[in-house]
Amino acid sequence: MRTLTVDLGERSYPIYIGSGIRQQKELFSKAIAGKQVMIVTNTTVADIYLADLVALLGADYKVDTCILPDGEQYKTLATYESIMTSLLEAKHNRTTTIIALGGGVVGDMAGFAAATYQRGVPFIQVPTTLLSQVDSSVGGKTGVNHPLGKNMIGAFYQPQAVIIDNDTLKTLPERELSAGMAEVIKYGLICDAPFFTWLEENVDDLMALDNEKITHAIYESCAAKARVVAQDEKEGGIRAILNLGHTFGHAIETEMGYGEWLHGEAVAAGTVLAVDLSWRMGNLTEQDVERSVALLAKAKLPVLPPKGMGREAFIDRMLLDKKVLDGNLRLVLLNALGDACVTSDFSMDDFNGCLNDAIEAASAG
Amino acid sequence: MRTLTVDLGERSYPIYIGSGIRQQKELFSKAIAGKQVMIVTNTTVADIYLADLVALLGADYKVDTCILPDGEQYKTLATYESIMTSLLEAKHNRTTTIIALGGGVVGDMAGFAAATYQRGVPFIQVPTTLLSQVDSSVGGKTGVNHPLGKNMIGAFYQPQAVIIDNDTLKTLPERELSAGMAEVIKYGLICDAPFFTWLEENVDDLMALDNEKITHAIYESCAAKARVVAQDEKEGGIRAILNLGHTFGHAIETEMGYGEWLHGEAVAAGTVLAVDLSWRMGNLTEQDVERSVALLAKAKLPVLPPKGMGREAFIDRMLLDKKVLDGNLRLVLLNALGDACVTSDFSMDDFNGCLNDAIEAASAG
């Protein structure tokens, strides 16, 4: 097991990463202050992992469960309200601890419930997908979608602990493993060139779930994100570099309808666009672009936007993004492999060229 | 105008109190960082004060408005969602500022919307009732009710500034003025004996809205609350003394149905119960009890529970209160006039005697 501390002053917390650690009771009991526990999960994850966790904690705590429907389309205020109702019906008080057992959607909603149940109760993340292990379990972003926009309702709220058992990846569909790899690769691109090179050398072993290598990749990803978040907890500045590929990616997700393209798939295609634009601006070599595309492709990710999605659709969706300040489109771009910045300093010619070429390639492909 | 700073480190903010200050543009512009402003208010307050505020800010900012139905029964997730929809439809981004113009219900909901719109945007409170001026505008509690409990959903979130124009009390129904006085009197009882004596001497002038005296009463109330909150922002300990009369009071409010008894009215009757219990425990003199009852009565507040509300109803409702830790009922009681504590160290005989006598007096009255 490896342990990483996310350093946020009095809101600091540990991330434990290892094989089988979801059965180590002391990792939970160190983070649970009261006697009540509410495990929030979804129908898919409940079938595989819920009974074990209830059995592990049931002797020491009053354990209740709240099983949500599975899918991004249920990441709504209505589902959130159902968590609140479960907590109240089971008479949970302010000393309860909420455990999020599942992927990013479960973590975001359970975290938002924890942030706002009786104005805030402790919570523990047990992420079961690669995406949630390397992304949403670090950084304290919680929330739900609104029909007019993704993640528009939420709070920054830090867990007491994150317990990442990489054995859970064995039951993850390969398409979701790939989606998680999009974020892993992103960390290399934005802030860690040696890690990017390591990923190129080990991507096949990672896709085969080599335990030691997957632990390393998760650790390095969380460490990269933790370094960035520690500098900028509330996303005032530098933290935005974590959104490489996301502004394009959100446009793709929204245009296709939530759930059609997985978040990581949209981010992968968006990352290629951002890398391409960075190359057009003279920041990257052609080889850098090829290496990025090749690595994403080896992780079985799309490297082109969805067929039929036009320029207008991109631009309309992107202008509604949270990162648009007063109508001024800002993007995360690369200064070099392993070095990202947030900027609105790009030419519309480059921007349009990058979009048009990708759209053309997609329609030809 | 008087200015008070609520000292919460980087979350510190000023409270301005004075006659006519809702028309002082610089108080707003100091607290608004971006170009977008969303004023959240209700139908009643909008009719009287909204046009002036829109006119004041309209030249400098893009001002949108969101007018909620008036009443505690609308303090729901559904109304909260309608604020989010208004913000998204008007394309407000993360640099928007939300202004809460109205009483406690508007402040709580607009504050919760600010706490959670795109994971948090700035907001300004312009409380227009005495209750909200002395209570909910200080301390950062925001939220909505759930059908299973009052204020069960919410967040701690501090405003950029609170602008208290006591001229707005001129349009407040007298019953609501009294309800606000219940909280003013509470501050004297829990932590400021000289202020309690000053209130006894000036209650008639306060009920007649003498400008200088009402400014003083609001300032001292906010200052008392700010002192307590500064010691305990998240209500881990000492802050609970602000709930004098509230555990009994919430039981009354819930039993009667929200809106039947005003919050302040229920708190007044609850305060008499807490004072009576403190006397039975030997902490107060009979004269202390009489002075407390007399002052509340002079402020035209109820000093007995609602006719027909029995002991069982009190106990059932109180055990669901947020302040009940693991089934252990804790109450705010007085050690002396001007000195409160939170304790579960009272005898059930005293507790039952206090409740039974009040219930009997109410049924006789």
Side-chain angles (χ1 to χ4, degrees):
Chain A
M1 186 180 81
R2 297 189 67 182
T3 303
L4 175 75
T5 299
V6 181
D7 185 9
L8 295 168
E10 60 181 19
R11 288 183 299 284
S12 297
Y13 61 91
I15 300 177
Y16 308 106
I17 307 160
S19 166
I21 64 171
R22 70 192 168 83
Q23 287 297 308
Q24 288 187 29
K25 187 154 73 176
E26 72 280 8
L27 300 182
F28 290 90
S29 49
K30 273 193 282 187
I32 298 174
K35 294 172 187 162
Q36 299 175 313
V37 167
M38 174 64 79
I39 304 174
V40 179
T41 186
N42 69 28
T43 47
T44 310
V45 177
D47 284 346
I48 319 176
Y49 298 113
L50 183 57
D52 283 356
L53 189 54
V54 170
L56 184 74
L57 302 176
D60 298 352
Y61 306 96
K62 175 188 179 291
V63 178
D64 292 293
T65 62
C66 175
I67 303 176
L68 309 177
D70 184 9
E72 175 95 18
Q73 69 271 37
Y74 299 107
K75 189 173 154 182
T76 60
L77 270 180
T79 308
Y80 158 79
E81 185 169 13
S82 76
I83 304 175
M84 295 310 202
T85 303
S86 297
L87 286 160
L88 286 163
E89 283 177 347
K91 294 192 192 299
H92 281 243
N93 61 37
R94 276 193 224 171
T95 65
T96 190
T97 298
I98 294 177
I99 298 180
L101 173 68
V105 171
V106 165
D108 283 5
M109 285 203 287
F112 188 46
T116 56
Y117 184 64
Q118 300 197 14
R119 301 198 190 89
V121 298
F123 89 114
I124 298 171
Q125 299 252 35
V126 185
T128 58
T129 65
L130 182 58
L131 178 61
S132 60
Q133 290 171 351
V134 300
D135 180 25
S136 51
S137 66
V138 189
K141 285 190 177 181
T142 71
V144 299
N145 298 328
H146 184 283
L148 295 175
K150 203 169 139 88
N151 291 322
M152 285 290 158
I153 299 174
F156 286 101
Y157 197 70
Q158 306 298 340
Q160 303 299 303
V162 179
I163 298 168
I164 298 177
D165 184 340
N166 46 37
D167 285 1
T168 60
L169 300 182
K170 291 176 188 161
T171 57
L172 193 70
E174 191 183 52
R175 190 175 160 201
E176 291 199 40
L177 186 69
S178 293
M181 284 297 294
E183 299 283 350
V184 173
I185 293 166
K186 179 194 77 178
Y187 295 114
L189 285 169
I190 61 171
C191 64
D192 194 342
F195 182 50
F196 183 85
T197 305
W198 183 89
L199 287 170
E200 288 179 302
E201 289 159 4
N202 294 282
V203 61
D204 294 335
D205 290 343
L206 290 171
M207 293 302 290
L209 295 178
D210 176 290
N211 182 56
E212 198 180 315
K213 288 184 177 169
I214 205 89
T215 299
H216 180 75
I218 295 170
Y219 183 92
E220 291 299 328
S221 297
C222 290
K225 182 158 185 181
R227 283 195 301 274
V228 174
V229 169
Q231 290 175 63
D232 178 20
E233 186 177 355
K234 300 289 174 66
E235 199 159 12
I238 180 76
R239 180 166 176 162
I241 66 166
L242 295 170
N243 293 316
L244 177 72
H246 283 58
T247 304
F248 292 107
H250 280 165
I252 294 173
E253 275 184 280
T254 317
E255 178 70 14
M256 300 303 286
Y258 294 149
E260 198 56 39
W261 275 46
L262 296 178
H263 174 72
E265 293 169 341
V267 165
T271 297
V272 175
L273 287 165
V275 165
D276 183 69
L277 181 52
S278 307
W279 163 70
R280 284 169 199 261
M281 294 167 63
N283 296 348
L284 298 181
T285 65
E286 214 168 321
Q287 198 205 4
D288 291 334
V289 179
E290 282 162 10
R291 286 174 64 192
S292 305
V293 172
L295 181 54
L296 290 163
K298 273 197 167 175
K300 304 186 180 171
L301 284 159
V303 295
L304 287 172
K307 220 169 182 164
M309 181 168 174
R311 210 178 124 269
E312 302 268 295
F314 269 101
I315 289 173
D316 286 356
R317 301 287 182 185
M318 290 170 80
L319 286 176
L320 245 181
D321 194 273
K322 279 200 293 300
K323 288 168 287 299
V324 175
L325 296 166
D326 300 321
N328 188 15
L329 181 62
R330 291 150 58 85
L331 290 172
V332 184
L333 297 173
L334 299 185
N335 299 315
L337 268 197
D339 180 16
C341 64
V342 185
T343 180
S344 54
D345 185 20
F346 50 85
S347 80
M348 280 318 288
D349 274 0
D350 286 343
F351 177 79
N352 287 326
C354 152
L355 260 185
N356 289 339
D357 285 1
I359 288 163
E360 200 173 306
S363 89
Chain B
M1 187 180 80
R2 297 190 66 183
T3 303
L4 175 74
T5 299
V6 181
D7 185 8
L8 295 168
E10 62 183 17
R11 288 182 299 283
S12 298
Y13 61 91
I15 301 177
Y16 309 106
I17 308 160
S19 166
I21 64 171
R22 71 192 167 82
Q23 286 299 307
Q24 289 188 30
K25 186 155 73 175
E26 73 280 9
L27 299 182
F28 289 89
S29 49
K30 273 193 281 186
I32 298 173
K35 293 173 187 162
Q36 300 175 313
V37 167
M38 174 64 78
I39 304 174
V40 178
T41 186
N42 68 30
T43 47
T44 309
V45 177
D47 284 347
I48 319 175
Y49 299 112
L50 182 57
D52 283 357
L53 189 55
V54 170
L56 184 74
L57 302 177
D60 297 351
Y61 306 97
K62 175 187 181 294
V63 178
D64 292 294
T65 62
C66 175
I67 302 176
L68 309 176
D70 185 9
E72 175 95 18
Q73 69 270 36
Y74 299 107
K75 189 174 154 182
T76 61
L77 270 180
T79 308
Y80 157 80
E81 186 170 14
S82 76
I83 304 174
M84 295 309 202
T85 303
S86 297
L87 286 160
L88 286 164
E89 282 178 348
K91 296 193 191 296
H92 282 244
N93 61 35
R94 276 193 224 171
T95 65
T96 189
T97 299
I98 294 178
I99 299 180
L101 173 68
V105 171
V106 165
D108 283 5
M109 285 202 288
F112 187 46
T116 56
Y117 184 64
Q118 300 197 15
R119 301 198 190 90
V121 299
F123 87 115
I124 298 171
Q125 299 253 33
V126 186
T128 59
T129 65
L130 182 58
L131 178 62
S132 59
Q133 290 170 351
V134 301
D135 181 25
S136 50
S137 65
V138 190
K141 285 190 179 181
T142 71
V144 299
N145 298 327
H146 184 283
L148 295 174
K150 204 170 138 85
N151 291 322
M152 285 290 159
I153 299 173
F156 286 100
Y157 198 70
Q158 306 299 340
Q160 303 299 304
V162 179
I163 298 168
I164 298 177
D165 184 340
N166 46 37
D167 285 1
T168 59
L169 301 182
K170 292 176 188 162
T171 57
L172 193 69
E174 192 184 52
R175 191 174 160 202
E176 291 198 41
L177 187 69
S178 293
M181 283 297 294
E183 299 283 349
V184 173
I185 293 166
K186 179 195 76 178
Y187 294 116
L189 285 169
I190 61 170
C191 64
D192 194 341
F195 182 50
F196 183 84
T197 304
W198 183 88
L199 288 170
E200 288 180 301
E201 289 159 3
N202 294 283
V203 61
D204 294 335
D205 289 344
L206 291 170
M207 293 303 290
L209 295 178
D210 176 291
N211 182 57
E212 198 180 314
K213 288 183 178 171
I214 205 91
T215 299
H216 179 76
I218 294 170
Y219 182 93
E220 291 300 328
S221 297
C222 290
K225 182 157 186 181
R227 283 195 301 273
V228 174
V229 169
Q231 290 174 63
D232 178 19
E233 188 178 355
K234 300 288 174 68
E235 199 160 11
I238 180 77
R239 180 166 175 162
I241 66 166
L242 295 170
N243 293 314
L244 177 71
H246 283 58
T247 305
F248 292 107
H250 280 165
I252 294 172
E253 275 184 281
T254 317
E255 178 70 14
M256 301 303 285
Y258 294 149
E260 197 57 39
W261 275 48
L262 296 178
H263 174 72
E265 293 169 340
V267 165
T271 297
V272 175
L273 287 166
V275 165
D276 183 69
L277 181 51
S278 306
W279 164 70
R280 283 168 201 261
M281 293 166 63
N283 295 348
L284 297 181
T285 66
E286 213 168 321
Q287 198 207 5
D288 291 334
V289 180
E290 281 162 12
R291 286 174 64 191
S292 305
V293 172
L295 180 54
L296 291 162
K298 272 195 167 178
K300 302 187 181 170
L301 284 159
V303 295
L304 288 172
K307 219 170 181 163
M309 181 169 173
R311 211 179 123 269
E312 303 269 297
F314 268 101
I315 290 173
D316 285 356
R317 300 288 183 186
M318 289 169 81
L319 286 176
L320 247 180
D321 194 273
K322 278 200 296 296
K323 287 170 286 303
V324 175
L325 297 166
D326 299 324
N328 189 15
L329 181 62
R330 291 151 58 85
L331 291 172
V332 184
L333 296 173
L334 298 184
N335 298 315
L337 269 196
D339 180 16
C341 64
V342 184
T343 180
S344 54
D345 185 19
F346 49 84
S347 80
M348 281 317 288
D349 273 1
D350 285 343
F351 178 79
N352 288 326
C354 153
L355 259 186
N356 288 339
D357 285 1
I359 288 163
E360 200 174 306
S363 88

